[in-house]
Amino acid sequence: MQDVRYAADASTTSSIPITNGSTKERNKWLELDYRGLAAAVHRYVESQPALFSNLATDKADLAKLRDLGRKVVVYNGLSDDAIPPAGSIDYHERVVAAMGGHTEVQKFMRMYLLPGVAHSSQGRAYTVGGRNDAVPLPKLPGNANQTPTREQDQLFTALVDWVEKGAAPGDIVLTSRDNSVSYPVCVYPQMTTWNDSGPATQASSYSCK
């Protein structure tokens, strides 16, 4: 954070060039051993209250948000390769511990864990062989996030209805682009669970338990 020499050079991160007139030396991060990396992480954690207090997104005490009547809908793919779902679960459990239990938290915050969904952008999950048509995904607006409608944006619509109509979101059925697979996603801590009967590709074969 304070020594630009530890930044990667353009060959490592060509899409995020680092420019600094003080020195052209880069890639000292490659010299870090595990002890040095641990020390760097420790310094980052220590600096958060002073330098990043307005950016911290892991605060478990959401009393102000709750008291202002705000609502939050969180979702994470269970196959997310960039944002591990265990991190979202850990944060949610810390909120639950700080805010009086699942019943109290669900009055203002609900989380969904999406089976089979990896890191996505505008609803496009991680692709295998260039195709992901059979992966059930939440419907999201297009590339520019333009004019979301109820048909386009399931999770945002659920949030709008919660805020504007007081209708707290429950199970939400996701369907793949090719309409071959569907299943319900559940309000955590409930999970999408097969009923031990029926086709594994149809939402009617699953329950939230």
Side-chain angles (χ1 to χ4, degrees):
M1 289 165 44
Q2 296 175 328
D3 190 339
V4 73
R5 295 175 302 167
Y6 284 91
D9 65 14
S11 67
T12 306
T13 57
S14 58
S15 62
I16 312 174
I18 301 295
T19 302
N20 187 294
S22 61
T23 175
K24 293 183 178 180
E25 185 179 357
R26 298 291 184 271
N27 288 337
K28 281 184 66 66
W29 65 273
L30 293 168
E31 300 173 15
L32 287 173
D33 56 14
Y34 285 112
R35 179 175 295 182
L37 179 60
V41 171
H42 182 68
R43 286 183 62 191
Y44 168 71
V45 172
E46 282 187 326
S47 68
Q48 279 188 330
L51 298 179
F52 302 107
S53 60
N54 292 330
L55 301 177
T57 59
D58 62 347
K59 294 179 180 179
D61 183 355
L62 299 181
K64 184 175 180 179
L65 180 143
R66 176 201 61 199
D67 295 344
L68 288 170
R70 306 294 193 256
K71 307 298 182 187
V72 180
V73 173
V74 178
Y75 74 94
N76 204 155
L78 284 172
S79 299
D80 198 317
D81 50 308
I83 303 175
S88 294
I89 293 170
D90 174 72
Y91 173 67
H92 195 278
E93 290 296 336
R94 289 193 293 111
V95 172
V96 166
M99 301 298 298
H102 283 289
T103 300
E104 291 302 312
V105 169
Q106 287 185 9
K107 293 178 181 178
F108 63 88
M109 176 179 174
R110 300 201 169 191
M111 181 171 75
Y112 295 87
L113 300 175
L114 313 185
V117 176
H119 197 64
S120 63
S121 174
Q122 300 296 337
R124 294 162 182 80
Y126 179 76
T127 61
V128 178
R131 296 185 63 81
N132 58 2
D133 290 345
V135 179
L137 298 167
K139 293 179 181 177
L140 297 172
N143 291 334
N145 208 35
Q146 67 271 25
T147 58
T149 67
R150 301 187 69 84
E151 295 74 25
Q152 284 183 300
D153 200 332
Q154 289 175 285
L155 291 165
F156 183 70
T157 294
L159 179 62
V160 168
D161 287 348
W162 197 5
V163 171
E164 296 184 354
K165 301 178 181 179
D171 309 346
I172 297 175
V173 175
L174 305 185
T175 304
S176 62
R177 284 195 196 89
D178 63 5
N179 294 314
S180 65
V181 182
S182 62
Y183 49 59
V185 290
C186 315
V187 178
Y188 181 84
Q190 290 193 320
M191 300 291 287
T192 304
T193 307
W194 187 47
N195 295 330
D196 294 325
S197 63
T201 57
Q202 299 303 309
S204 59
S205 302
Y206 296 88
S207 301
C208 290
K209 297 179 182 179

